[in-house]
Amino acid sequence: MKPVLGIETSCDETAAALLDGDGTILAEAVLTQRAEHQPYGGVVPEIAARAHLHYLPGLIDEVLAKAGAGFADVGAVAATCGPGLIGGLIVGAQLAKGIALARGLPFIAVNHLEAHALTARLPGLVDGGAPFPYLLFLLSGGHSQCIAVTGVGRHRRLGGTIDDAAGEAFDKVAKQLGLGWPGGPALEKLAAEGNPAAFPFPRPMLRRAGCDLSFSGLKTAVMQSLARLPGGLPTRQQAADVAASFQQAVVDVLADRAAHAMAIMREEWPQARLLVVAGGVAANTQIRHGLTTAAQAHGFTMIAPPMRLCSDNAVMVAWAGIERLRLGLVDAMATDARPRWPLEALAEEQHATANGI
Ligand code: KG4
Ligand code: ZN
């Protein structure tokens, strides 16, 4: 198989990558738009779309140049077509289709969540590639979901957040503590100086049946505790204690929810042994530690792709493209970018494609 070009523009990372047909990374680049969005304390969709439009063509040229390749060497083009912010998705999808049309190449519309899900199968991460089925715990700024990954395009959502995503909760609490955006890394750093038992924050959903998550009650409890502090603004030590106590509550909740998800997984797929953690929040050392311990207790092994492949990137998009291409799953030029695209819809669409519907 000739190299596959992957394009990612679903949120605030503009990314392109060229992977050989066997998954070897030939070149990759990610441009974060942090500086563009920082003044607003979060991602502004219109700014993101314009930035993708501005940066993407040059980034693709850069990736091809780094790989010592040209468009003539590319065998297929894969782009994230959802879920995500529609403006950015349109930019990436349409540019990918344009390249595919001009060069007569297959186009693969990649589901962003599936791209995160399949990253664990990239050669070199797990010996021989992560075998299906496995449990994916996706913890990012926009998603918190437990997903049974049983094949390419075959997923079952076992549970997910009923309000904020885990990263969103970190970002909102960090904002309360005046830590700037995105807040997760800064909050983790501050928490290292604090006492995780200082504030008895709630553990929403703990021991509740299933593996749904919720963070809004915890976030509110943090806000109320901060508001009650004498003198208004917290001292550095108080802020560190709040950060550490919040982080500990999140670790406890995630470990409990992962344990439930592993039990559900075991019932239906007794051969499942892997817990794959992905998304920016997987960078958090305490969270990794909590999930590793929970996995061990359930006879699972926890693996987290290296950080640059955990957060948004185009390597995962190209790889998902390769996995789909191997199964003959290519997409029509009429395929639309879509802001919402649940993973469960993939199996139905594949079935329709296979039957020529
Ligand atoms: O997957 P990701 O890079 O991108 C999107 O969701 O678009 O995840 C970003 C999220 C942000 O909410 C960020 O605050 C959070 O991941 N995050 C962390 C850490 N590093 C990033 N949360 C907790 N601890 C961290 N060390
Ligand atoms: Zn993502």
Side-chain angles (χ1 to χ4, degrees):
M1 191 193 289
K2 283 174 81 176
V4 173
L5 177 66
I7 293 173
E8 161 62 39
T9 55
S10 67
C11 192
D12 59 337
E13 263 92 24
T14 313
L18 188 70
L19 266 61
D20 217 344
D22 65 359
T24 308
I25 302 169
L26 300 175
E28 62 165 315
V30 181
L31 265 180
T32 75
Q33 302 171 3
R34 199 157 292 174
E36 276 93 334
H37 301 288
Q38 211 137 33
Y40 306 95
V43 178
V44 183
E46 180 67 22
I47 294 176
R50 287 174 192 227
H52 289 307
L53 194 58
H54 183 72
Y55 293 124
L56 186 58
L59 201 71
I60 292 173
D61 285 343
E62 184 188 317
V63 162
L64 289 177
K66 265 204 266 181
F71 282 114
D73 301 305
V74 175
V77 191
T80 301
C81 286
L85 301 174
I86 192 64
L89 289 170
I90 289 173
V91 170
Q94 295 307 104
L95 185 51
K97 287 186 215 172
I99 297 169
L101 262 179
R103 311 291 317 186
L105 300 174
F107 164 70
I108 304 127
V110 171
N111 178 299
H112 181 85
L113 303 177
E114 167 151 76
H116 275 301
L118 295 177
T119 303
R121 289 168 53 78
L122 253 178
L125 288 188
V126 176
D127 259 352
F132 296 124
Y134 55 82
L135 174 64
L136 173 76
F137 206 3
L138 179 59
L139 299 168
S140 70
H143 303 278
S144 292
Q145 301 189 20
C146 297
I147 298 162
V149 185
T150 60
V152 174
R154 305 201 170 276
H155 314 269
R156 180 157 350 134
R157 188 177 185 276
L158 304 178
T161 183
I162 56 170
D163 39 60
D164 293 346
E168 201 178 347
F170 266 92
D171 291 340
K172 287 178 177 168
V173 168
K175 197 170 179 181
Q176 291 294 315
L177 294 170
L179 296 177
W181 175 87
L187 193 146
E188 179 179 13
K189 211 165 154 216
L190 182 62
E193 300 168 26
N195 171 8
F199 290 86
F201 291 137
R203 269 72 174 152
M205 311 296 274
L206 202 74
R207 289 189 278 280
R208 201 71 85 77
C211 55
D212 278 342
L213 300 129
S214 163
F215 292 105
S216 79
L218 172 58
K219 190 186 63 190
T220 308
V222 172
M223 271 186 231
Q224 286 169 343
S225 293
L226 284 170
R228 275 198 298 268
L229 287 176
L233 283 177
T235 61
R236 169 120 191 141
Q237 190 55 48
Q238 282 169 334
D241 287 346
V242 167
S245 303
F246 162 78
Q247 182 174 264
Q248 188 58 51
V250 175
V251 171
D252 291 350
V253 166
L254 293 181
D256 176 78
R257 303 290 77 196
H260 278 235
M262 285 183 276
I264 297 170
M265 192 85 196
R266 261 294 161 73
E267 259 176 40
E268 193 130 348
W269 297 278
Q271 72 276 36
R273 287 284 179 284
L274 275 183
L275 166 65
V276 176
V277 186
V281 180
N284 186 291
T285 311
Q286 296 303 321
I287 290 174
R288 277 182 187 241
H289 182 70
L291 292 176
T292 306
T293 310
Q296 278 164 357
H298 284 77
F300 275 60
T301 303
M302 198 281 278
I303 61 158
M307 222 22 253
R308 73 192 165 83
L309 299 178
C310 258
S311 49
D312 290 351
N313 65 86
V315 170
M316 67 179 190
V317 179
W319 174 245
I322 291 169
E323 291 250 45
R324 297 184 74 78
L325 204 53
R326 282 179 181 164
L327 299 176
L329 297 167
V330 297
D331 294 279
M333 288 295 161
T335 309
D336 281 331
R338 43 191 135 165
R340 298 183 69 81
W341 188 4
L343 274 175
E344 282 90 348
L346 276 177
E348 285 163 33
E349 287 159 19
Q350 273 167 224
H351 182 75
T353 312
N355 291 297
I357 301 169

